[in-house]
């Protein structure tokens, strides 16, 4: 099975959470919108009147005849196929719950620079962004980190992963969160990091996995930039 991933071609964005799972597992996939005619193919699937189960927005995944959207839903589908989720249902739901919480966090990161409207420029919502980012860095980010650090601490499988004794797609996504937050909020992260030793160790553990390490060193890994979810505006950083 060759998976087809559809996502905007110039940013890591939400597509990166899916990409990391595919890359970690060495899955056969094509990043369709990065190919010559790929954007056209993606827009056809987004807007085509004949498409069943259309997605509201990328990322979405084509697996044979199945078209699956929503990042956490794609990962719920891929997890068992890529060996990145527990075998039993309770464990799979727990990983899914953590992934949905990461999705909430992603939205809050996005809203630090676009608190009013995605369709407006940052410069047109800067006063609101300053207020939103101040609350995010002072209150929300530590609250999310406290939660995930405690999840690791209480994991009956040990404190190396969020769930169980081996990596799941939620661990890969947490790696991406920490990498992105370091890009967007370097000053804030420097202050917060000493309080979250398990999360930071998890970041390094995931980065060292052979599939992830090879991906990060490849041209397929786009650099963070000012178009994605994680953007660095000095004035928003604590
Ligand atoms: N909840 C969805 C959000 C998808 C989403 O917002 N995608 C962005 C790019 S990261 C997009 O293309 N949005 C266009 C829009 O909302 O109109 C997910 O997690 O996949």
């Amino acid at each position: 099975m060759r998976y087809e991933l559809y996502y905007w071609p110039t940013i890591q964005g939400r597509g990166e959470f899916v990409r990391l799972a595919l890359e970690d597992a060495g899955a056969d996939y094509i990043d369709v919108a990065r190919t010559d005619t790929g954007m056209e193919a993606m827009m056809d699937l987004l807007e085509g009147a004949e498409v069943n189960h259309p997605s509201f927005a990328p990322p979405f995944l084509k697996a044979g005849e199945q078209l699956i959207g929503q990042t956490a839903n794609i990962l719920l589908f891929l997890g068992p196929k890529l060996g990145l989720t527990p075998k039993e249902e309770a464990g799979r739901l727990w990983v899914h719950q953590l992934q949905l919480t990461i999705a909430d966090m992603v939205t809050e990161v996005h809203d630090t620079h676009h608190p009013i409207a995605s369709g407006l420029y940052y410069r047109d919502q800067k006063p609101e962004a300053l207020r939103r980012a101040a609350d995010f860095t002072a209150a929300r980010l530590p609250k999310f980190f406290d939660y995930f650090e405690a999840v690791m601490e209480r994991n009956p499988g040990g404190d190396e992963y969020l769930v169980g004794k081996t990596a799941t797609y939620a661990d890969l996504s947490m790696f991406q969160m920490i990498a992105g937050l370091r890009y967007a909020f370097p000053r804030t992260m420097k202050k917060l990091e000493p309080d979250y030793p398990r999360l930071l160790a998890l970041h390094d553990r995931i980065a060292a996995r052979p599939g992830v390490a090879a991906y990060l060193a490849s041209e397929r890994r786009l650099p963070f930039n000012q178009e994605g979810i994680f953007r660095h505006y000095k004035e928003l950083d604590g």
Side-chain angles (χ1 to χ4, degrees):
M1 158 88 65
R2 176 170 238 209
Y3 297 109
E4 293 177 17
L5 172 64
Y6 292 83
Y7 192 68
W8 306 113
T10 56
I11 57 171
Q12 294 182 12
R14 288 177 173 89
E16 199 67 8
F17 298 101
V18 180
R19 217 172 269 126
L20 279 167
L22 292 165
E23 292 277 352
D24 179 75
D28 187 12
Y29 82 102
I30 175 167
D31 214 327
V32 179
R34 290 190 193 169
T35 64
D36 284 349
T37 54
M39 269 304 285
E40 220 175 291
M42 182 164 96
M43 296 322 287
D44 281 351
L45 283 176
L46 269 178
E47 293 168 355
E50 74 291 350
V51 177
N52 290 325
H53 301 187
S55 288
F56 177 75
F60 52 90
L61 185 84
K62 197 160 184 289
E65 292 301 301
Q66 262 179 295
L67 200 53
I68 303 151
Q70 290 284 355
T71 311
N73 198 38
I74 299 169
L75 290 168
L76 182 67
F77 168 80
L78 284 176
K81 295 171 175 58
L82 303 182
L84 286 170
T85 196
K87 288 198 171 36
E88 76 289 0
E89 186 185 33
R92 285 204 306 271
L93 276 181
W94 176 222
V95 173
H96 184 52
Q97 178 178 329
L98 294 174
Q99 191 66 40
L100 289 169
T101 308
I102 290 172
D104 291 343
M105 202 176 171
V106 169
T107 298
E108 293 201 22
V109 171
H110 168 271
D111 290 352
T112 59
H113 48 80
H114 279 75
I116 300 297
S118 301
L120 289 177
Y121 290 110
Y122 167 64
R123 63 173 179 268
D124 296 328
Q125 46 195 314
K126 202 167 159 186
E128 294 88 351
L130 284 165
R131 290 188 67 191
R132 186 70 189 248
D135 181 68
F136 179 75
T137 52
R140 297 296 290 175
L141 182 54
K143 184 169 178 179
F144 277 115
F145 275 170
D146 284 349
Y147 171 74
F148 284 109
E149 181 81 9
V151 167
M152 288 189 76
E153 196 176 354
R154 293 181 212 167
N155 176 14
D159 68 356
E160 291 198 346
Y161 297 101
L162 287 163
V163 181
K165 292 186 167 91
T166 57
T168 67
Y169 59 78
D171 295 302
L172 302 182
S173 294
M174 185 47 66
F175 156 80
Q176 176 66 7
M177 291 308 297
I178 290 170
L181 288 161
R182 280 179 171 166
Y183 171 78
F185 301 104
R187 211 162 48 195
T188 300
M189 286 297 282
K190 208 166 169 206
K191 262 188 285 177
L192 292 180
E193 286 193 9
D195 293 335
Y196 304 102
R198 292 175 187 81
L199 289 174
L200 297 187
L202 177 64
H203 168 277
D204 295 353
R205 196 170 293 123
I206 297 300
R209 287 169 70 82
V212 174
Y215 170 60
L216 295 178
S218 77
E219 287 187 355
R220 300 189 300 286
R221 170 79 166 182
L222 295 173
F224 288 107
N225 61 40
Q226 294 298 82
E227 307 296 320
I229 289 163
F230 297 101
R231 302 187 193 188
H232 178 62
Y233 295 109
K234 203 161 172 268
E235 62 275 17
L236 300 186
D237 184 13

